[in-house]
Amino acid sequence: METRTLGMRILLKILGCFCMWILVDAQMKIPPETVQQWASVFSVQLRDFSTKYSGSLLFQKKLKDVESIIKIAELNGGDLLRDYSEEIERMLGSKMKSVKRLAESAEDADLYHEYNNSLQFDYYNSMLINTVDEDGNYVELGGEFPLEENEHFNNLPVNTQQSNIQVPTNVYNKDPKLLNAIYNSEALNDVYISNFLRDPTLTWQYFGSSFGFFRIYPGIKWTPDTNGVVAFDCRNRNWYIQAATSPKDIIIMVDISGSMKGLKMTIAKHTINTILDTLGENDFVNVIAYTDYVRYVEPCFRGTLVQADLDNREHFKLLVEELHVKGEAKIKNAMKESFKILNEARMNGQGSMCNQAIMLITDGAMEDFESVFEEFNWPERRVRVFTYLIGREMTFAQKTKWIACNNKGYYTHISTLADVQENVMEYLHVLSRPMVINHDHDIIWTEAYMDTVLPNTKELFNTKAQSLLLMTSVAMPVFSKKKETLSHGILLGVVGTDVPLMEVMKLAPRYMLGPHGYAFLLNNNGYILAHPDLRPLYKDGKKLKPKPNYNSVDLSEVEWEDTDEMLRTPMVKGETGSITLNIRASVDKGKRPMYLINNYFYTDIAETPFSFGMVLTKGHGSLMFTGNVSVEEGLHDLTSPDLSIASEWTYCETDIDPDHRKYTQHQAVIRYLQGMEPDLECDELLLQQTLFDAVVTAPLEAYWNSLMLNDRLEPGVETAFLGTRSGLMRLIRYAGTETRVAKKFLTSSDKDNLFTIDHFPLWYRLAVENTPGRFYYYPVNDKGVKYVIATTAAMVSSGDRTAMAGAIGVQMSLDWLEKRFWAIAKQPSDTDCSNVEGVCPLSCESDELNCFLVDNNGFILLSKERNDTLRERQKRRELILSSCLAQSPRLCTYQSQQPARLFPKMTEMPCHTWVGRFFGEVDGSIMASLIKMGMFKKVSLFDYQAMCKSSHHHASSARSLLSPFYIILALMRWLFSNAVMFVLDFNLCGLWHSDYFVDAKAGYHTSHKQKKVEALQPCDTAYPGFMYDSSVREANSLIKCGRCQNSIFSTHCSVCKIHTPPSQALTTSM
């Protein structure tokens, strides 16, 4: 320990000497009053510019004028919860009724069908339809099958008058049993169409047959993979497996003795993986490998069962791949261990409390097991035993078959990899027999999942909210009702329909929940189905892909402030109630933290395993104002060319009547108000508020246009915009498309800045959390396109209540900001420089100074656009900070003679890449001092949905013993993390939330050629956020490094007492 301490001290001395050596000749002084003057002038100009071109004063005045005719009400969360949950129950109940009709029809068709071994029947094969041969004739099982694009089905070409059949490549499409079953299922066509007419919100309806075919409505063209193979088998889908069987406890026993080497072991591993794929969240599992001793593939799961969710299944698969053969097979001990686990689970009320089974995978069983079965399983035979004989040898077939048959199981022989799929599926039919015999038509609901099977669905990844790409399925088993086979328990298949979660969440309107409110769904396992903070996708290069654990994200991983599970526990139990939590939230991809007080309301959804929750933010989120105007007056303003409404919200239900699907929400609202579509079902309260907002905001259109016509527009002002809680937006483009920098801003692809089904625009959410009337400025760096947004909230009062009416702002280019700033941030040419050492007069445009503008979350708003790097200016520099543009602004003067950096790569970054980056990446020591002075507060945030490089989590624990160099690196890491903890935090800040746009090529040098990186995997991360503390009025600080010293002076700027933009920091560095 003494030697280690001495080594640390030596290293610190080396660092100190380096600072001292590099900092010899910088002696220049910059007067704080100079920077204060620059900041004051710039503050006034920026405020006047933002006010003028946004029209914020006019907006606030018009709201003031109507205060006498508005009402402000506090939302009752309990009432809203009841109304929305009842709507959801009605919707999901309608889907269950549709599925029941399909099941009844399928069973009746089978009941009256006589099997015909020579049946000749042509059906529409979804892969062959509309396919012609060389002579121009339709191929067999093809035929003409009209297809039309349908918006209701993701704009896929479909046939809503006919279903068709998909057959996997490994199933013979003319097998007599298959043809008879397909013929039977023809009766479903009429029910499909009838269901769709009854409930036009239905999406895909289907029947998965136990023979492997899949009948889908509406009919589609199925696209095989690049090898012409259709690998999709409906019997492997979760909805089929869950409906066909009850929940189950499974122990997989695999023989890894020496006789299993080579192909046998490969087949065995594939068999295990296939069994794991048949399990779901309601099942429990463990995997035991045996030779002459019992080995749990995961020692942490010794003696217990674990939930077969996606994470655990994938974990088992990785461990199974690492199995190696050795020794002699002794199966008796492994069998005893398996029975003990299952018996203890049953006795203690653990596991699924339903079916129990052991899956024995071996190439032979030589021992006598009768005593084991007599001790643990006979005569009740509560545990079924399924045996899978691996390999071509049949020597031990009789013994292996005896084990299965005497324990209510099933024996199968697997000699090739191609045999695995069909043979594994047999166990599902066995487990389904009690349900069939008893005719237990249990309806099941699946966990959330993302359908990537149908054509073109991947295109939705870039156009829809991530959390709402998911769907759930409701399914029901179909049994044979024939008397002669009733005792055999024959499962015919499973019927089901998909329910997009986006349609469910539309029943909780966004406008009622407010800017930071939201609704969410979870199942009885605590896993999220829908939540605005659920991020099921990650970016791998240029492609968006589902995360490995995207549908097993627990509520506690998103609502991570619920540390005592006071929210999760009652929701999992299906209880009704409410709770209030103090929340550390974040916006702008996790970069901007904020403190909120959230009121949570929750209840169960009847006849489903789901619970529904909703959040209202305390304060403005729970207050809503309403106004009333005539339809004629509002309709006139609603048709203005600068006005739009939220396209993803439901103002009028256009999906009920197929004739209405051609209308956008804006078109539907106008036609309804004009009396042209009286049959439309519309949200009257939302329409009333939209009309009122259209009238109140109408003067802004004339104001903006007058600026364009009568005023000489300043180059750089590009777009003015406003939004209201009703989802109404107005905007004007001051600059044309050719000259506009932010071409994507407020276009249909700019989801972050639009009203969507799961969030309000970013600029709206930032504005309402800041003082109304004061502008909030923040930089945007959209793939190299950089601009600045200024936004502020507008409020309205009635009696003693004040509600947020909307947000208004202006978007400007960086060029304008720079020109104004450079023109101000300079001393006059006639400055007296006689007693000044160094550069005089001072100017941010000079090579000796580098100037920054930093927002109130510590991100760089403006920096000098030069190609030289910071390293070239390290020998002589001086930094002056000013936050005069803050809510309670103060001036900070920082004189630095310390050019050293802990992260040299960052110092080599060209200055033009700094806009939008965290200031701590440029100089963590300054940021640390600002926090120490109290100007910024550090907020600890957590992300339990992050994606990290796998190497970070699988490093060898022995590496530190094998590599002396690693010991040195570990020592340096310890020193850096303790001696300069702040700097580490800040410089790593650029990587804190890579999962929001996680890219396998992410790194500091985005403009440089990237190196190949490792695969990403789910991980948990903690990262810092920063908030400006407006309560600090004045502060002083010193930064010491050996013999070098940096001084910071902070004081209040009186010019900022009038209406000013929000927290900004002016930073100049040399």
PDB file of all heavy atoms in Angstrom, residues 41 65 105 174 183 192 261 263 284 290 323 331 341-342 476 507 524 654 666 740 767 825 829 882 1018-1019:
ATOM      1  N   VAL A  41     -24.620  44.366 -23.993  1.00  0.00           N
ATOM      2  CA  VAL A  41     -25.076  44.848 -25.304  1.00  0.00           C
ATOM      3  C   VAL A  41     -25.650  43.708 -26.124  1.00  0.00           C
ATOM      4  O   VAL A  41     -26.712  43.822 -26.749  1.00  0.00           O
ATOM      5  CB  VAL A  41     -23.908  45.528 -26.049  1.00  0.00           C
ATOM      6  CG1 VAL A  41     -24.331  45.906 -27.466  1.00  0.00           C
ATOM      7  CG2 VAL A  41     -23.432  46.760 -25.294  1.00  0.00           C
ATOM      8  N   ASP A  65     -56.053  39.734 -24.012  1.00  0.00           N
ATOM      9  CA  ASP A  65     -57.331  40.308 -24.441  1.00  0.00           C
ATOM     10  C   ASP A  65     -58.492  39.348 -24.249  1.00  0.00           C
ATOM     11  O   ASP A  65     -59.645  39.787 -24.115  1.00  0.00           O
ATOM     12  CB  ASP A  65     -57.247  40.725 -25.916  1.00  0.00           C
ATOM     13  CG  ASP A  65     -56.298  41.896 -26.123  1.00  0.00           C
ATOM     14  OD1 ASP A  65     -55.969  42.584 -25.132  1.00  0.00           O
ATOM     15  OD2 ASP A  65     -55.859  42.103 -27.286  1.00  0.00           O
ATOM     16  N   SER A 105     -65.911 -20.350 -36.104  1.00  0.00           N
ATOM     17  CA  SER A 105     -66.053 -20.694 -37.516  1.00  0.00           C
ATOM     18  C   SER A 105     -65.093 -21.805 -37.920  1.00  0.00           C
ATOM     19  O   SER A 105     -65.473 -22.734 -38.644  1.00  0.00           O
ATOM     20  CB  SER A 105     -65.807 -19.446 -38.374  1.00  0.00           C
ATOM     21  OG  SER A 105     -65.846 -19.768 -39.750  1.00  0.00           O
ATOM     22  N   LYS A 174     -48.487 -29.462 -51.081  1.00  0.00           N
ATOM     23  CA  LYS A 174     -49.592 -30.258 -51.626  1.00  0.00           C
ATOM     24  C   LYS A 174     -49.830 -31.528 -50.817  1.00  0.00           C
ATOM     25  O   LYS A 174     -50.449 -32.469 -51.300  1.00  0.00           O
ATOM     26  CB  LYS A 174     -49.311 -30.614 -53.091  1.00  0.00           C
ATOM     27  CG  LYS A 174     -49.574 -29.463 -54.053  1.00  0.00           C
ATOM     28  CD  LYS A 174     -49.682 -29.971 -55.469  1.00  0.00           C
ATOM     29  CE  LYS A 174     -50.230 -28.896 -56.400  1.00  0.00           C
ATOM     30  NZ  LYS A 174     -50.417 -29.406 -57.774  1.00  0.00           N
ATOM     31  N   TYR A 183     -58.497 -26.320 -47.077  1.00  0.00           N
ATOM     32  CA  TYR A 183     -59.874 -26.311 -47.576  1.00  0.00           C
ATOM     33  C   TYR A 183     -60.842 -25.953 -46.446  1.00  0.00           C
ATOM     34  O   TYR A 183     -61.774 -25.165 -46.623  1.00  0.00           O
ATOM     35  CB  TYR A 183     -60.209 -27.687 -48.168  1.00  0.00           C
ATOM     36  CG  TYR A 183     -61.607 -27.791 -48.711  1.00  0.00           C
ATOM     37  CD1 TYR A 183     -61.925 -27.295 -49.978  1.00  0.00           C
ATOM     38  CD2 TYR A 183     -62.622 -28.378 -47.943  1.00  0.00           C
ATOM     39  CE1 TYR A 183     -63.218 -27.393 -50.471  1.00  0.00           C
ATOM     40  CE2 TYR A 183     -63.913 -28.469 -48.432  1.00  0.00           C
ATOM     41  CZ  TYR A 183     -64.211 -27.973 -49.693  1.00  0.00           C
ATOM     42  OH  TYR A 183     -65.497 -28.050 -50.182  1.00  0.00           O
ATOM     43  N   TYR A 192     -63.509 -13.107 -41.758  1.00  0.00           N
ATOM     44  CA  TYR A 192     -62.514 -12.032 -41.824  1.00  0.00           C
ATOM     45  C   TYR A 192     -63.162 -10.732 -42.286  1.00  0.00           C
ATOM     46  O   TYR A 192     -63.008  -9.665 -41.668  1.00  0.00           O
ATOM     47  CB  TYR A 192     -61.399 -12.397 -42.801  1.00  0.00           C
ATOM     48  CG  TYR A 192     -60.397 -13.414 -42.325  1.00  0.00           C
ATOM     49  CD1 TYR A 192     -59.833 -14.324 -43.217  1.00  0.00           C
ATOM     50  CD2 TYR A 192     -59.982 -13.466 -40.995  1.00  0.00           C
ATOM     51  CE1 TYR A 192     -58.891 -15.257 -42.809  1.00  0.00           C
ATOM     52  CE2 TYR A 192     -59.048 -14.399 -40.574  1.00  0.00           C
ATOM     53  CZ  TYR A 192     -58.504 -15.294 -41.487  1.00  0.00           C
ATOM     54  OH  TYR A 192     -57.581 -16.209 -41.076  1.00  0.00           O
ATOM     55  N   LYS A 261     -19.940 -35.919 -29.171  1.00  0.00           N
ATOM     56  CA  LYS A 261     -19.064 -35.009 -29.905  1.00  0.00           C
ATOM     57  C   LYS A 261     -19.497 -34.874 -31.362  1.00  0.00           C
ATOM     58  O   LYS A 261     -20.232 -35.697 -31.909  1.00  0.00           O
ATOM     59  CB  LYS A 261     -17.619 -35.504 -29.830  1.00  0.00           C
ATOM     60  CG  LYS A 261     -17.369 -36.822 -30.541  1.00  0.00           C
ATOM     61  CD  LYS A 261     -15.918 -37.248 -30.394  1.00  0.00           C
ATOM     62  CE  LYS A 261     -15.667 -38.595 -31.088  1.00  0.00           C
ATOM     63  NZ  LYS A 261     -14.259 -39.028 -30.950  1.00  0.00           N
ATOM     64  N   LEU A 263     -21.243 -33.725 -34.777  1.00  0.00           N
ATOM     65  CA  LEU A 263     -22.557 -33.319 -35.259  1.00  0.00           C
ATOM     66  C   LEU A 263     -23.632 -33.503 -34.197  1.00  0.00           C
ATOM     67  O   LEU A 263     -24.578 -32.711 -34.124  1.00  0.00           O
ATOM     68  CB  LEU A 263     -22.920 -34.117 -36.520  1.00  0.00           C
ATOM     69  CG  LEU A 263     -24.283 -33.811 -37.149  1.00  0.00           C
ATOM     70  CD1 LEU A 263     -24.366 -32.354 -37.587  1.00  0.00           C
ATOM     71  CD2 LEU A 263     -24.557 -34.752 -38.323  1.00  0.00           C
ATOM     72  N   PHE A 284     -41.206 -20.706 -17.182  1.00  0.00           N
ATOM     73  CA  PHE A 284     -39.995 -20.696 -16.366  1.00  0.00           C
ATOM     74  C   PHE A 284     -39.096 -21.845 -16.814  1.00  0.00           C
ATOM     75  O   PHE A 284     -39.592 -22.897 -17.243  1.00  0.00           O
ATOM     76  CB  PHE A 284     -40.344 -20.810 -14.882  1.00  0.00           C
ATOM     77  CG  PHE A 284     -41.042 -19.595 -14.338  1.00  0.00           C
ATOM     78  CD1 PHE A 284     -42.393 -19.397 -14.552  1.00  0.00           C
ATOM     79  CD2 PHE A 284     -40.321 -18.634 -13.635  1.00  0.00           C
ATOM     80  CE1 PHE A 284     -43.032 -18.263 -14.070  1.00  0.00           C
ATOM     81  CE2 PHE A 284     -40.961 -17.499 -13.150  1.00  0.00           C
ATOM     82  CZ  PHE A 284     -42.307 -17.309 -13.363  1.00  0.00           C
ATOM     83  N   TYR A 290     -25.061 -32.502 -18.237  1.00  0.00           N
ATOM     84  CA  TYR A 290     -24.581 -33.559 -17.349  1.00  0.00           C
ATOM     85  C   TYR A 290     -23.577 -34.470 -18.054  1.00  0.00           C
ATOM     86  O   TYR A 290     -23.664 -34.714 -19.258  1.00  0.00           O
ATOM     87  CB  TYR A 290     -25.751 -34.383 -16.802  1.00  0.00           C
ATOM     88  CG  TYR A 290     -26.464 -35.227 -17.842  1.00  0.00           C
ATOM     89  CD1 TYR A 290     -26.051 -36.536 -18.112  1.00  0.00           C
ATOM     90  CD2 TYR A 290     -27.544 -34.726 -18.556  1.00  0.00           C
ATOM     91  CE1 TYR A 290     -26.689 -37.311 -19.062  1.00  0.00           C
ATOM     92  CE2 TYR A 290     -28.190 -35.481 -19.497  1.00  0.00           C
ATOM     93  CZ  TYR A 290     -27.766 -36.785 -19.758  1.00  0.00           C
ATOM     94  OH  TYR A 290     -28.394 -37.535 -20.707  1.00  0.00           O
ATOM     95  N   LEU A 323     -20.722 -24.951 -24.451  1.00  0.00           N
ATOM     96  CA  LEU A 323     -20.639 -26.303 -23.911  1.00  0.00           C
ATOM     97  C   LEU A 323     -19.669 -27.163 -24.728  1.00  0.00           C
ATOM     98  O   LEU A 323     -19.633 -27.086 -25.958  1.00  0.00           O
ATOM     99  CB  LEU A 323     -22.018 -26.953 -23.905  1.00  0.00           C
ATOM    100  CG  LEU A 323     -23.059 -26.372 -22.937  1.00  0.00           C
ATOM    101  CD1 LEU A 323     -24.396 -27.071 -23.108  1.00  0.00           C
ATOM    102  CD2 LEU A 323     -22.581 -26.486 -21.489  1.00  0.00           C
ATOM    103  N   ILE A 331     -26.878 -40.139 -16.048  1.00  0.00           N
ATOM    104  CA  ILE A 331     -28.106 -39.353 -16.160  1.00  0.00           C
ATOM    105  C   ILE A 331     -28.926 -39.327 -14.878  1.00  0.00           C
ATOM    106  O   ILE A 331     -29.695 -38.397 -14.643  1.00  0.00           O
ATOM    107  CB  ILE A 331     -28.965 -39.904 -17.328  1.00  0.00           C
ATOM    108  CG1 ILE A 331     -30.108 -38.934 -17.655  1.00  0.00           C
ATOM    109  CG2 ILE A 331     -29.490 -41.273 -17.006  1.00  0.00           C
ATOM    110  CD1 ILE A 331     -30.878 -39.346 -18.887  1.00  0.00           C
ATOM    111  N   ILE A 341     -35.961 -29.624  -8.423  1.00  0.00           N
ATOM    112  CA  ILE A 341     -36.239 -28.221  -8.756  1.00  0.00           C
ATOM    113  C   ILE A 341     -37.726 -28.017  -9.010  1.00  0.00           C
ATOM    114  O   ILE A 341     -38.361 -27.085  -8.480  1.00  0.00           O
ATOM    115  CB  ILE A 341     -35.426 -27.783  -9.985  1.00  0.00           C
ATOM    116  CG1 ILE A 341     -33.935 -27.799  -9.681  1.00  0.00           C
ATOM    117  CG2 ILE A 341     -35.846 -26.388 -10.445  1.00  0.00           C
ATOM    118  CD1 ILE A 341     -33.068 -27.555 -10.910  1.00  0.00           C
ATOM    119  N   LEU A 342     -38.317 -28.901  -9.817  1.00  0.00           N
ATOM    120  CA  LEU A 342     -39.727 -28.750 -10.178  1.00  0.00           C
ATOM    121  C   LEU A 342     -40.636 -28.995  -8.980  1.00  0.00           C
ATOM    122  O   LEU A 342     -41.632 -28.276  -8.785  1.00  0.00           O
ATOM    123  CB  LEU A 342     -40.068 -29.712 -11.320  1.00  0.00           C
ATOM    124  CG  LEU A 342     -39.366 -29.424 -12.661  1.00  0.00           C
ATOM    125  CD1 LEU A 342     -39.659 -30.518 -13.678  1.00  0.00           C
ATOM    126  CD2 LEU A 342     -39.788 -28.074 -13.220  1.00  0.00           C
ATOM    127  N   MET A 476     -56.376 -17.220 -29.786  1.00  0.00           N
ATOM    128  CA  MET A 476     -57.258 -18.200 -29.154  1.00  0.00           C
ATOM    129  C   MET A 476     -57.049 -19.543 -29.838  1.00  0.00           C
ATOM    130  O   MET A 476     -56.948 -19.615 -31.071  1.00  0.00           O
ATOM    131  CB  MET A 476     -58.715 -17.725 -29.306  1.00  0.00           C
ATOM    132  CG  MET A 476     -59.733 -18.534 -28.567  1.00  0.00           C
ATOM    133  SD  MET A 476     -61.363 -17.741 -28.746  1.00  0.00           S
ATOM    134  CE  MET A 476     -62.365 -18.861 -27.803  1.00  0.00           C
ATOM    135  N   LEU A 507     -56.204   6.549 -27.581  1.00  0.00           N
ATOM    136  CA  LEU A 507     -57.406   6.709 -26.767  1.00  0.00           C
ATOM    137  C   LEU A 507     -57.151   7.555 -25.525  1.00  0.00           C
ATOM    138  O   LEU A 507     -58.083   7.873 -24.789  1.00  0.00           O
ATOM    139  CB  LEU A 507     -57.946   5.331 -26.360  1.00  0.00           C
ATOM    140  CG  LEU A 507     -58.353   4.423 -27.542  1.00  0.00           C
ATOM    141  CD1 LEU A 507     -58.806   3.069 -27.036  1.00  0.00           C
ATOM    142  CD2 LEU A 507     -59.449   5.083 -28.370  1.00  0.00           C
ATOM    143  N   ASN A 524     -48.695  -8.012 -16.935  1.00  0.00           N
ATOM    144  CA  ASN A 524     -48.683  -8.511 -15.562  1.00  0.00           C
ATOM    145  C   ASN A 524     -47.304  -8.972 -15.103  1.00  0.00           C
ATOM    146  O   ASN A 524     -47.134  -9.365 -13.952  1.00  0.00           O
ATOM    147  CB  ASN A 524     -49.688  -9.659 -15.411  1.00  0.00           C
ATOM    148  CG  ASN A 524     -49.403 -10.802 -16.378  1.00  0.00           C
ATOM    149  OD1 ASN A 524     -48.714 -10.624 -17.370  1.00  0.00           O
ATOM    150  ND2 ASN A 524     -49.948 -11.958 -16.094  1.00  0.00           N
ATOM    151  N   THR A 654     -60.857   8.949 -38.611  1.00  0.00           N
ATOM    152  CA  THR A 654     -60.927   8.712 -40.060  1.00  0.00           C
ATOM    153  C   THR A 654     -60.762   7.240 -40.422  1.00  0.00           C
ATOM    154  O   THR A 654     -60.801   6.894 -41.605  1.00  0.00           O
ATOM    155  CB  THR A 654     -59.844   9.521 -40.782  1.00  0.00           C
ATOM    156  OG1 THR A 654     -58.551   9.137 -40.279  1.00  0.00           O
ATOM    157  CG2 THR A 654     -60.044  11.012 -40.584  1.00  0.00           C
ATOM    158  N   HIS A 666     -56.346  17.422 -40.764  1.00  0.00           N
ATOM    159  CA  HIS A 666     -56.721  18.815 -41.057  1.00  0.00           C
ATOM    160  C   HIS A 666     -57.906  18.849 -42.022  1.00  0.00           C
ATOM    161  O   HIS A 666     -58.879  19.601 -41.817  1.00  0.00           O
ATOM    162  CB  HIS A 666     -55.523  19.561 -41.641  1.00  0.00           C
ATOM    163  CG  HIS A 666     -55.649  21.045 -41.530  1.00  0.00           C
ATOM    164  ND1 HIS A 666     -54.652  21.920 -41.875  1.00  0.00           N
ATOM    165  CD2 HIS A 666     -56.672  21.842 -41.109  1.00  0.00           C
ATOM    166  CE1 HIS A 666     -55.052  23.164 -41.678  1.00  0.00           C
ATOM    167  NE2 HIS A 666     -56.272  23.143 -41.215  1.00  0.00           N
ATOM    168  N   ARG A 740     -32.127  28.904 -46.903  1.00  0.00           N
ATOM    169  CA  ARG A 740     -32.367  28.491 -45.528  1.00  0.00           C
ATOM    170  C   ARG A 740     -31.386  27.401 -45.121  1.00  0.00           C
ATOM    171  O   ARG A 740     -31.206  26.405 -45.824  1.00  0.00           O
ATOM    172  CB  ARG A 740     -33.804  27.990 -45.380  1.00  0.00           C
ATOM    173  CG  ARG A 740     -34.283  27.905 -43.951  1.00  0.00           C
ATOM    174  CD  ARG A 740     -35.793  27.812 -43.848  1.00  0.00           C
ATOM    175  NE  ARG A 740     -36.333  26.596 -44.410  1.00  0.00           N
ATOM    176  CZ  ARG A 740     -37.162  26.540 -45.432  1.00  0.00           C
ATOM    177  NH1 ARG A 740     -37.551  27.672 -46.021  1.00  0.00           N
ATOM    178  NH2 ARG A 740     -37.613  25.398 -45.887  1.00  0.00           N
ATOM    179  N   ALA A 767     -39.728  25.482 -23.428  1.00  0.00           N
ATOM    180  CA  ALA A 767     -40.283  26.808 -23.130  1.00  0.00           C
ATOM    181  C   ALA A 767     -41.148  26.798 -21.874  1.00  0.00           C
ATOM    182  O   ALA A 767     -41.037  27.685 -21.022  1.00  0.00           O
ATOM    183  CB  ALA A 767     -41.091  27.312 -24.322  1.00  0.00           C
ATOM    184  N   ALA A 825     -18.293  41.967 -29.536  1.00  0.00           N
ATOM    185  CA  ALA A 825     -17.225  41.482 -28.663  1.00  0.00           C
ATOM    186  C   ALA A 825     -15.860  41.973 -29.139  1.00  0.00           C
ATOM    187  O   ALA A 825     -15.005  41.177 -29.544  1.00  0.00           O
ATOM    188  CB  ALA A 825     -17.269  39.957 -28.583  1.00  0.00           C
ATOM    189  N   SER A 829     -11.241  50.717 -31.443  1.00  0.00           N
ATOM    190  CA  SER A 829      -9.874  50.860 -31.980  1.00  0.00           C
ATOM    191  C   SER A 829      -9.087  51.953 -31.264  1.00  0.00           C
ATOM    192  O   SER A 829      -7.853  51.940 -31.280  1.00  0.00           O
ATOM    193  CB  SER A 829      -9.939  51.161 -33.483  1.00  0.00           C
ATOM    194  OG  SER A 829     -10.723  52.334 -33.705  1.00  0.00           O
ATOM    195  N   SER A 882     -18.995  34.804 -19.295  1.00  0.00           N
ATOM    196  CA  SER A 882     -20.055  35.684 -18.834  1.00  0.00           C
ATOM    197  C   SER A 882     -21.387  35.011 -19.069  1.00  0.00           C
ATOM    198  O   SER A 882     -21.629  34.458 -20.120  1.00  0.00           O
ATOM    199  CB  SER A 882     -20.024  37.006 -19.588  1.00  0.00           C
ATOM    200  OG  SER A 882     -21.187  37.739 -19.312  1.00  0.00           O
ATOM    201  N   PRO A1018     -27.100  -4.570 -24.758  1.00  0.00           N
ATOM    202  CA  PRO A1018     -27.793  -3.783 -23.734  1.00  0.00           C
ATOM    203  C   PRO A1018     -26.949  -3.632 -22.480  1.00  0.00           C
ATOM    204  O   PRO A1018     -26.218  -4.537 -22.077  1.00  0.00           O
ATOM    205  CB  PRO A1018     -29.056  -4.612 -23.455  1.00  0.00           C
ATOM    206  CG  PRO A1018     -29.251  -5.428 -24.687  1.00  0.00           C
ATOM    207  CD  PRO A1018     -27.878  -5.734 -25.199  1.00  0.00           C
ATOM    208  N   CYS A1019     -27.049  -2.460 -21.865  1.00  0.00           N
ATOM    209  CA  CYS A1019     -26.305  -2.198 -20.635  1.00  0.00           C
ATOM    210  C   CYS A1019     -27.021  -1.105 -19.844  1.00  0.00           C
ATOM    211  O   CYS A1019     -27.906  -0.432 -20.365  1.00  0.00           O
ATOM    212  CB  CYS A1019     -24.860  -1.780 -20.947  1.00  0.00           C
ATOM    213  SG  CYS A1019     -24.746  -0.251 -21.900  1.00  0.00           S
TER     214      CYS A1019
END
